[in-house]
Amino acid sequence: MVSQLFTTPVARVRCPFADDVNPPLAAAVDERDGGRVKDFGYKRETAGEFTSWGGSEAARLSGWVCTVAGKFVESLTGMPLTKAFTHSLAREGEQLTGEPSVSVGVTRSWASLYREGDLHEPHFHPNTALSAVYYVSAPGACEIDLLDPRPAVDYYDPGICLAGESHRVRLACTPGELIVFPGWLKHSVPPFTGGETRISVAWNLNYFTG
């Protein structure tokens, strides 16, 4: 028997109300671009919490993202979120008291602006259960590279690769699409080409009990 082990789950979902929220969100990001952004040289990023300054559209989108992320985890574990969380705690010898309720919530959120030639080197989001990226506007495809989380596969080429055809997967998304993946998964943005600004929003998501 041959088993394929250590697969990495990635969700890709189109927002059903993208046409309603994308134009005002793009306008809100453009407004902040007047001075309330951090310029890293390789890209620009908004300061402050997107969920706070983005208005009702940001709140609506963030709520939907958290719902999608919760369902993503439930589909992977085969059990409700609260049960999956308590089951994981039990394996560590811990437990929740009372009648717990577990949900997915936002610990950090921001918008990224990419212009001609901008990129983002491979990175991951520490202390984050799930990472989410949503594409607001772009003149063409919004590319993101997901890197193989098995570091040793890059050390030696035996002649026949058993790790897959490539050590990275490039997704070409469009405005209105959401990507959700584990926070430990390294990802990057290849050099952006296009006459207009590409805008995306990212969330660091974690589990909250209440």
Side-chain angles (χ1 to χ4, degrees), residues 38 45-46 49 106-110 202-205:
K38 297 173 285 185
E45 186 177 293
T46 57
E49 285 294 321
V106 179
T107 50
R108 185 168 177 258
S109 57
W110 64 97
W203 294 262
N204 287 348
L205 305 174

Side-chain angles (χ1 to χ4, degrees), residues 159-180:
I160 298 177
C161 181
L162 301 181
E165 294 300 316
S166 175
H167 297 164
R168 68 176 61 204
V169 174
R170 177 166 294 180
L171 302 181
C173 303
T174 57
E177 283 192 282
L178 170 73
I179 305 294
V180 181

Side-chain angles (χ1 to χ4, degrees), residues 76-110:
L76 293 170
T77 61
M79 60 184 76
L81 199 61
T82 298
K83 185 176 180 180
F85 190 83
T86 54
H87 177 73
S88 294
L89 283 182
R91 290 190 303 176
E92 302 297 326
E94 302 178 27
Q95 64 180 11
L96 293 175
T97 58
E99 298 182 1
S101 175
V102 178
S103 60
V104 173
V106 179
T107 50
R108 185 168 177 258
S109 57
W110 64 97

Side-chain angles (χ1 to χ4, degrees), residues 17-196:
F17 49 87
D19 291 343
D20 295 335
V21 298
N22 283 8
L25 287 178
V29 173
D30 286 339
E31 181 181 350
R32 294 188 75 82
D33 196 19
R36 288 165 290 182
V37 297
K38 297 173 285 185
D39 192 341
F40 295 110
Y42 54 86
K43 75 162 188 175
R44 293 162 65 85
E45 186 177 293
T46 57
E49 285 294 321
F50 166 75
T51 52
S52 297
W53 59 257
S56 59
E57 290 84 6
R60 183 183 182 188
L61 181 61
S62 297
W64 175 76
V65 168
C66 290
T67 298
V68 170
K71 292 181 178 178
F72 172 56
V73 175
E74 290 179 339
S75 70
L76 293 170
T77 61
M79 60 184 76
L81 199 61
T82 298
K83 185 176 180 180
F85 190 83
T86 54
H87 177 73
S88 294
L89 283 182
R91 290 190 303 176
E92 302 297 326
E94 302 178 27
Q95 64 180 11
L96 293 175
T97 58
E99 298 182 1
S101 175
V102 178
S103 60
V104 173
V106 179
T107 50
R108 185 168 177 258
S109 57
W110 64 97
S112 295
L113 299 89
Y114 290 86
R115 291 170 179 165
E116 185 78 29
D118 284 353
L119 54 83
H120 201 164
E121 294 291 343
H123 65 286
F124 68 97
H125 298 182
N127 303 316
T128 299
L130 299 167
S131 295
V133 181
Y134 177 78
Y135 298 99
V136 177
S137 65
C142 304
E143 295 182 328
I144 182 172
D145 288 346
L146 305 178
L147 281 64
D148 194 325
R150 300 165 294 180
V153 300
D154 286 329
Y155 287 137
Y156 172 62
D157 181 3
I160 298 177
C161 181
L162 301 181
E165 294 300 316
S166 175
H167 297 164
R168 68 176 61 204
V169 174
R170 177 166 294 180
L171 302 181
C173 303
T174 57
E177 283 192 282
L178 170 73
I179 305 294
V180 181
F181 49 88
W184 44 256
L185 181 63
K186 279 192 173 182
H187 52 286
S188 62
V189 177
F192 172 66
T193 58
E196 303 174 20

